[in-house]
């Protein structure tokens, strides 16, 4: 059913005579239900013309049709605008007004510049969907984001002023909210078409985003007058981008007075020389997160790649051994590895391992069963004996918060092999077992002072347990507060960590080996590995 | 010598002997692979010989400058006092009336001076290469390699010390 009534005729006629498309006419007449917009353009054009026609109206309707100015016949195969225009005037001869031209979009609408003409119809949507499908992403829903050239806001504003004036003549008012927004109408039409073509629902919360950016060559031209009327709305252009951004234009339109606007910009908006074109069609998937715990069995493996002056100093790294497999399987663009603290190159991580999380950026594959993840875990574990992972699982973004909490708040336990300069007996180290919650002051260790601020850290050694080996060696187990430098607690770092094992024993001590025995964080949840 | 773990500070060198023309006042610079330098006294320094007692250590090196006032902030160590090779770090007075000035020997930002030796000067003599260090200096990244080039290796240093002993006139 045609959605316009008698009361809408004058507005519809006025807009149609200026070169406005049927769907934009609906918007300005406040048609706020979806169905009419979704009908094919051809049909809408025909029904509109019928609606506007009266018995003796044939001739006046003909006159009311806008002269066809410079027309750009849209090449239906290309999406990117070919900037060449037909030189000179071209008049299409319509012998019978009931003949619908073969190419119904002869004129770009003077308000939407084609957005609610061909760019919301099946053919265009299909083209977008083809690109989506060929990009190889896995998705169960999608969110569609679209961006229009800024001068659509200017033309919309001009049309609003025009219609407002016309309605004023009839004693009616027209607020901005009475008009259906262009983007809304566009989504009403395009969303069902996307769903139909791709077989998935459109969901605002989806991680998979399809985005289309439209542009129009006359943007700067159409918007230019705003920069003289409201100069403070426009910031100097960065790089080569236009100074007329959507936000700046909208801001200026809010400020400018009606009569000032009407002086500077044609009301009704003039016929554009060209249609919009879709300059960018892209899709991207939001990051997914994989967490787990890792053990480190090598004393020669850095956490992150160790490269100086383009030269790799040590082969591989914890993060590469874990993440590279994930990167491949998820077909992601890149990864970000984070863990609950970390250990030095020469320190092993034993026990339950250290929690970690890997962010996979723009993954193409996201559907994994828990069986798939188990196999992925096995794959990682087979690939290297330097690290092993457990409890591998998909998690949400909150994962990162858990990591940091673990790093800063939770206790760790260690095992150190200690050397002493003085010869010792068992009884000489027993006293260490009795020290509970020993407070130590650690100046920033010299070995990290080049990249950390100089400060004093107060830390707690909660418990210690010693195991005598021989006159110059014993094993020290300790449970400490997060952020304690263990090596410095043993050798004293030039007396800059006080007290230290050496000072406690009135001698000199050094650390030969260090292992992390446990990281006391109960996240991620343990799985039946 | 205790076996050290991977990250320890290794003795980088000794500045050409007799710093500032003073006989035997040798300093030893320990440099970490991250370019941080620790300024210490070399074994041959008069203060480390038998019979010397330290009376006091003073980090106030001029009316306007005390090394104890050195304040360093942030990762880039802003506000640090900048040192040249001959910049004095402290003056040490002995019970026999002798006074010695310890120099930086290294160009860079002063990180800290050792306050532990203020309370207990004997640490300087007991453990000159560890707890008795004088100061920590951070050279500029671009200069970090050239710093060691101007210093003597352990071997060269030892040869010089031997020469000195051989050249010493007979004393009673």
């Amino acid at each position: 059913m045609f959605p316009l009534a008698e009361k809408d005729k004058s507005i519809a006629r006025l807009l149609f005579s200026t070169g406005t498309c049927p769907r934009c006419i609906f918007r300005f007449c406040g048609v706020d239900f979806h169905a009419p917009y979704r009908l094919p353009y051809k049909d809408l054009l025909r029904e509109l013309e019928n609606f506007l026609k009266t018995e003796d109206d044939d001739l006046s309707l003909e006159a009311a049709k806008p002269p066809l100015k410079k027309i750009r016949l849209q090449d239906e195969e290309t999406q990117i605008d070919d900037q060449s225009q037909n030189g000179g005037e071209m008049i299409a001869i319509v012998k019978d007004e009931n003949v619908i031209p073969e190419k119904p979009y002869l004129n770009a609408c003077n308000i939407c510049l084609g957005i609610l003409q061909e760019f919301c119809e099946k053919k265009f949507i299909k083209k977008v969907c083809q690109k989506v499908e060929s990009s190889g992403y896995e998705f169960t829903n999608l969110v569609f984001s679209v961006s229009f050239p800024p001068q659509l806001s200017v033309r919309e504003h001009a049309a609003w002023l025009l219609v407002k004036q016309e309605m004023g003549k009839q004693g009616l008012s027209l607020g901005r909210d009475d008009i259906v927004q262009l983007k809304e109408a566009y989504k009403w039409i395009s969303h069902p078409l996307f769903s139909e073509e791709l077989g998935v629902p459109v969901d605002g919360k989806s991680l998979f985003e399809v985005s289309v950016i439209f542009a129009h060559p006359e943007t700067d031209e159409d918007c230019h007058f705003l920069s003289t009327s409201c100069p403070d709305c426009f910031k100097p252009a960065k790089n080569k981008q236009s100074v007329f951004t959507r936000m700046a234009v909208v801001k200026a339109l809010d400020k400018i007075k009606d009569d000032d606007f009407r002086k500077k910009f044609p009301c009704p908006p003039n016929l554009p020389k060209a249609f919009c074109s879709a300059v960018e069609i892209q899709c991207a998937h939001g990051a997914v997160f994989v967490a787990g715990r890792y053990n480190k069995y090598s004393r020669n493996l850095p956490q992150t790649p160790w490269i100086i002056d383009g030269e790799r100093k040590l082969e591989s790294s914890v993060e590469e051994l874990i993440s590279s497999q994930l990167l491949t399987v998820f077909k992601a663009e890149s990864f970000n590895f984070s863990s609950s603290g970390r250990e030095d190159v020469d320190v092993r991580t034993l026990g339950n391992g250290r929690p970690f999380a890997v962010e996979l950026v723009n993954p193409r594959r996201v559907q994994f069963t828990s069986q798939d993840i188990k196999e992925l875990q096995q794959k990682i574990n087979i690939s290297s004996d330097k690290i092993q992972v457990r409890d591998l699982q998909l998690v949400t973004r909150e994962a990162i918060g858990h990591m940091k909490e673990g790093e800063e708040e939770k206790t760790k336990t260690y095992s150190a092999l200690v050397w002493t300069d003085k010869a010792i007996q068992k009884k000489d180290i027993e006293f260490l077992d009795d020290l509970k919650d020993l407070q130590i002051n650690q100046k920033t260790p010299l070995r990290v002072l080049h990249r950390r601020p100089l400060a004093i850290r107060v830390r707690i050694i909660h418990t210690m347990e010693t195991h005598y080996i021989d006159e110059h060696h014993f094993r020290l187990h300790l449970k400490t507060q997060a952020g304690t430098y263990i090596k410095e607690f043993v050798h004293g770092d030039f007396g800059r960590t006080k007290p230290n094992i050496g000072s406690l024993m009135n001698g000199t001590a050094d650390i030969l080996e260090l292992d992390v025995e446990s990281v006391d964080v109960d996240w991620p949840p343990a799985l039946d590995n | 010598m205790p076996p050290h773990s991977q990250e320890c500070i290794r003795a980088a060198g000794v500045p050409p002997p007799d710093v500032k023309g003073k006989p035997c006042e040798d300093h030893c610079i320990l440099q970490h692979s991250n370019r941080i330098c620790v300024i210490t006294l070399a074994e041959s320094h008069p203060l480390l010989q038998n019979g010397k007692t330290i009376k006091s250590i003073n980090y106030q090196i001029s009316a306007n400058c005390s090394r104890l006032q050195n304040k360093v902030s942030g990762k880039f160590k802003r506000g640090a006092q900048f040192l040249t090779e001959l910049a004095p770090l402290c003056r040490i007075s002995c019970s026999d009336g002798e006074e010695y000035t310890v120099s930086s020997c290294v160009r860079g930002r002063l990180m800290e001076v050792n306050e532990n030796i203020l309370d207990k000067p004997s640490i300087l003599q007991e453990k000159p290469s560890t707890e008795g260090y004088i100061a920590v200096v951070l050279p500029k990244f671009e200069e970090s390699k050239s710093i060691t080039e101007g210093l003597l290796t352990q071997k060269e240093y030892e040869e010089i010390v031997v020469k000195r002993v051989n050249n010493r006139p007979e004393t009673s």
Side-chain angles (χ1 to χ4, degrees):
Chain A
M1 234 215 52
F2 198 67
L4 296 182
E6 194 61 38
K7 64 173 174 65
D8 303 312
K9 241 186 198 165
S10 65
I11 302 292
R13 183 166 286 151
L14 171 63
L15 286 174
F16 189 68
S17 69
T18 67
T20 304
C21 74
R23 293 182 180 122
C24 283
I25 291 176
F26 289 170
R27 292 194 300 113
F28 278 84
C29 291
V31 176
D32 59 2
F33 52 106
H34 305 201
Y37 293 89
R38 300 177 55 187
L39 297 170
Y41 190 80
K42 284 208 297 274
D43 299 350
L44 289 176
L45 198 57
R46 191 193 319 118
E47 291 196 36
L48 180 64
E49 289 182 338
N50 285 339
F51 170 77
L52 291 176
K53 193 165 66 165
T54 62
E55 257 117 44
D56 42 29
D57 236 357
D58 298 32
L59 290 167
S60 54
L61 188 62
E62 190 56 46
K65 269 202 187 139
L68 299 171
K69 292 168 96 178
K70 286 184 194 178
I71 299 159
R72 223 196 122 272
L73 291 178
Q74 185 77 341
D75 179 358
E76 285 166 14
E77 288 313 305
T78 57
Q79 292 298 339
I80 305 301
D81 230 346
D82 160 17
Q83 298 286 328
S84 63
Q85 297 180 13
N86 294 322
E89 306 262 330
M90 212 170 100
I91 317 260
I93 299 165
V94 181
K95 294 206 173 83
D96 180 341
E97 75 226 12
N98 284 326
V99 171
I100 303 300
E102 288 250 326
K103 298 187 182 194
Y105 318 113
L106 232 39
N107 280 354
C109 167
N110 65 338
I111 299 179
C112 73
L113 301 178
I115 297 296
L116 290 182
Q117 295 174 287
E118 68 176 286
F119 289 112
C120 60
E121 302 239 312
K122 220 175 202 177
K123 197 163 181 190
F124 174 73
I125 303 296
K126 256 195 161 125
K127 274 230 153 75
V128 176
C129 290
Q130 268 166 19
K131 210 166 181 212
V132 172
E133 271 166 350
S134 66
S135 66
Y137 281 90
E138 207 175 55
F139 53 95
T140 52
N141 53 28
L142 70 97
V143 60
F144 176 54
S145 81
V146 61
S147 160
F148 301 128
Q151 89 266 49
L152 289 200
S153 309
V154 178
R155 288 172 173 272
E156 187 90 357
H157 193 93
W160 172 53
L161 289 180
L162 178 77
V163 175
K164 195 165 66 159
Q165 183 184 56
E166 180 67 24
M167 294 195 70
K169 289 185 199 156
Q170 299 170 24
L172 297 166
S173 68
L174 182 72
R176 286 311 300 258
D177 297 339
D178 297 328
I179 304 171
V180 174
Q181 291 303 301
L182 176 66
K183 198 174 252 196
E184 237 197 296
Y186 188 76
K187 292 198 167 180
W188 289 347
I189 307 165
S190 57
H191 284 187
L193 292 176
F194 274 114
S195 292
E196 195 190 318
E197 194 61 33
L198 296 172
V200 299
V202 174
D203 180 354
K205 291 201 282 318
S206 173
L207 282 174
F208 181 62
E209 183 187 25
V210 175
S211 66
V212 176
I213 298 181
F214 289 102
H216 192 273
E218 288 158 41
T219 297
D220 277 16
E221 211 176 290
D222 275 356
C223 296
H224 187 79
F225 71 98
L226 288 172
S227 64
T228 45
S229 304
C230 308
D232 51 330
C233 291
F234 298 98
K235 290 193 215 130
K238 290 185 197 170
N239 305 328
K240 274 188 176 179
Q241 286 165 22
S242 171
V243 70
F244 298 111
T245 62
R246 212 185 68 83
M247 278 197 66
V249 167
V250 167
K251 202 166 157 204
L253 288 173
D254 250 351
K255 279 181 91 174
I256 194 173
K257 298 234 180 336
D258 287 359
D259 14 315
D260 198 14
F261 183 93
R262 295 192 80 134
K263 275 190 227 148
K264 306 252 179 69
F265 192 83
C267 280
N270 56 14
L271 283 178
K273 299 191 197 95
F275 286 84
C276 277
S277 57
V279 295
E280 216 174 278
I281 301 173
Q282 275 184 358
C283 24
H285 202 293
V288 297
F289 296 82
V290 177
R293 300 179 83 109
Y294 71 82
N295 284 102
K296 181 179 177 241
Y297 298 119
S298 163
R299 291 201 187 280
N300 226 3
L301 187 68
Q303 184 86 345
T304 55
W306 193 347
I307 303 173
I308 298 184
D309 296 331
E311 207 186 297
R312 199 182 259 270
K313 292 294 174 189
L314 275 182
E315 205 185 294
S316 199
S317 61
V318 172
E319 78 169 29
E320 283 169 300
L321 288 175
I322 296 174
S323 310
S324 56
Q325 301 265 5
L326 297 176
L327 193 68
T328 316
V329 170
F330 280 75
K331 297 195 196 156
E333 204 173 278
S334 62
F335 67 83
N336 288 317
F337 181 92
S338 60
S339 58
S340 223
R342 57 187 172 167
E343 53 288 305
D344 291 339
V345 169
D346 57 346
V347 174
R348 297 187 304 178
T349 306
L350 310 175
N352 253 357
R354 188 182 293 276
F356 69 87
V358 182
E359 176 186 1
L360 292 149
V361 178
N362 205 8
R364 274 166 172 73
R365 217 198 121 183
V366 297
Q367 307 280 39
F368 292 91
T369 61
S370 46
Q371 183 60 30
D372 291 333
I373 302 289
K374 265 202 184 127
E375 284 170 15
L376 188 48
Q377 178 174 301
Q378 276 168 4
K379 205 167 166 207
I380 296 175
N381 288 337
I382 290 173
S383 75
S384 172
D385 53 359
K386 293 184 179 178
I387 55 111
Q388 294 281 283
V389 299
R390 71 179 74 207
D391 300 338
L392 201 65
Q393 55 196 272
L394 285 165
V395 294
T396 63
R397 194 174 273 276
E398 281 73 55
I400 307 301
H402 286 285
M403 296 280 93
K404 291 305 140 194
E405 193 191 297
E407 182 170 343
E408 287 154 22
E409 292 168 27
K410 306 293 183 177
T411 57
K412 324 276 157 66
T413 66
Y414 302 88
S415 166
L417 179 58
V418 181
W419 171 91
T420 61
D421 63 336
K422 291 194 313 201
I424 52 167
Q425 301 303 316
K426 255 194 204 154
K427 58 179 170 57
D428 297 320
I429 56 173
E430 272 166 11
F431 77 100
L432 291 171
D433 296 356
D434 301 328
L435 292 175
K436 302 293 174 212
D437 294 331
L438 172 70
Q439 182 175 303
I440 65 172
N441 295 302
Q442 302 197 280
K443 274 196 187 162
T444 307
L446 293 177
R447 64 185 168 97
V448 300
L449 186 54
H450 64 297
R451 57 184 166 86
R452 293 266 163 84
L454 181 61
I456 300 181
R457 289 163 188 73
V458 179
R459 289 291 182 267
I460 309 282
I461 311 289
H462 294 293
T463 58
M464 285 188 276
E465 196 184 291
T466 57
H467 293 268
Y468 183 84
I469 299 177
D470 61 41
E471 282 185 343
H472 290 280
H473 300 91
F474 68 95
R475 197 157 269 287
L476 177 68
H477 294 264
L478 47 160
K479 179 167 166 172
T480 74
Q481 183 182 357
T484 307
Y485 287 94
I486 306 299
K487 292 178 180 176
E488 277 69 18
F489 172 60
V490 174
H491 63 62
D493 192 35
F494 289 72
R496 299 165 73 256
T497 287
K498 291 189 289 196
N500 54 75
I501 293 291
S503 71
L504 290 169
M505 294 177 60
N506 276 324
T508 303
D510 203 355
I511 182 168
L512 302 181
E513 262 177 25
L514 180 61
D515 293 328
V516 177
E517 295 283 354
S518 75
V519 176
D520 306 324
V521 181
D522 55 10
W523 187 92
L527 300 177
D528 192 20
N529 284 287
Chain B
M1 274 292 282
H4 280 250
S5 59
Q6 219 176 19
E7 285 254 38
C8 79
I9 293 218
R10 302 208 180 278
V14 183
D18 312 329
V19 172
K20 257 185 170 152
K22 306 261 175 75
C24 304
E25 286 185 34
D26 305 322
H27 297 39
C28 176
I29 314 305
L30 306 177
Q31 189 180 41
H32 193 281
S33 56
N34 68 11
R35 85 183 189 272
I36 293 259
C37 293
V38 182
I39 319 301
T40 72
L41 300 181
E43 281 171 359
S44 51
H45 197 286
L47 279 169
L48 302 184
Q49 308 315 311
N50 280 335
K52 278 286 193 192
T53 312
I54 297 176
K55 204 168 70 177
S56 66
I57 300 177
N58 192 0
Y59 282 113
Q60 182 90 36
I61 52 148
S62 73
N64 296 330
C65 181
S66 162
R67 298 304 182 195
L68 293 175
Q69 306 278 338
N70 190 53
K71 287 234 180 324
V72 168
S73 66
K75 199 160 85 157
F76 297 101
K77 321 300 188 292
R78 282 185 235 281
Q81 292 171 6
F82 192 81
L83 304 169
T84 55
E85 288 91 330
L86 295 177
L89 289 172
C90 63
R91 304 196 204 285
I92 303 180
S93 309
C94 293
S95 56
D96 61 6
E98 294 273 8
E99 202 190 71
Y100 303 92
T101 299
V102 180
S103 307
S104 172
C105 305
V106 163
R107 274 175 61 89
R109 292 180 199 237
L110 177 64
M111 296 291 97
E112 64 183 51
V113 289
N114 191 352
E115 296 190 33
N116 294 333
I117 57 177
L118 283 179
D119 309 323
K120 208 175 164 223
S122 55
I123 297 179
L124 173 50
Q125 292 165 312
E126 287 159 25
K127 298 189 173 178
S129 303
T130 54
E131 280 153 61
Y133 74 96
I134 307 294
V136 177
V137 180
L138 175 68
K140 285 190 194 169
F141 184 80
E142 310 82 65
E143 293 177 17
S144 56
K145 291 233 165 70
S146 60
I147 288 204
T148 41
E149 280 159 24
L151 304 176
L152 301 172
T153 61
Q154 181 74 15
K155 197 153 170 274
E156 287 167 343
Y157 165 68
E158 279 165 14
E159 282 167 20
I160 288 182
V161 170
V162 166
K163 271 205 198 119
R164 272 193 205 135
V165 170
N166 291 342
N167 290 343
R168 195 177 290 154
E170 293 296 325
T171 51
S172 50

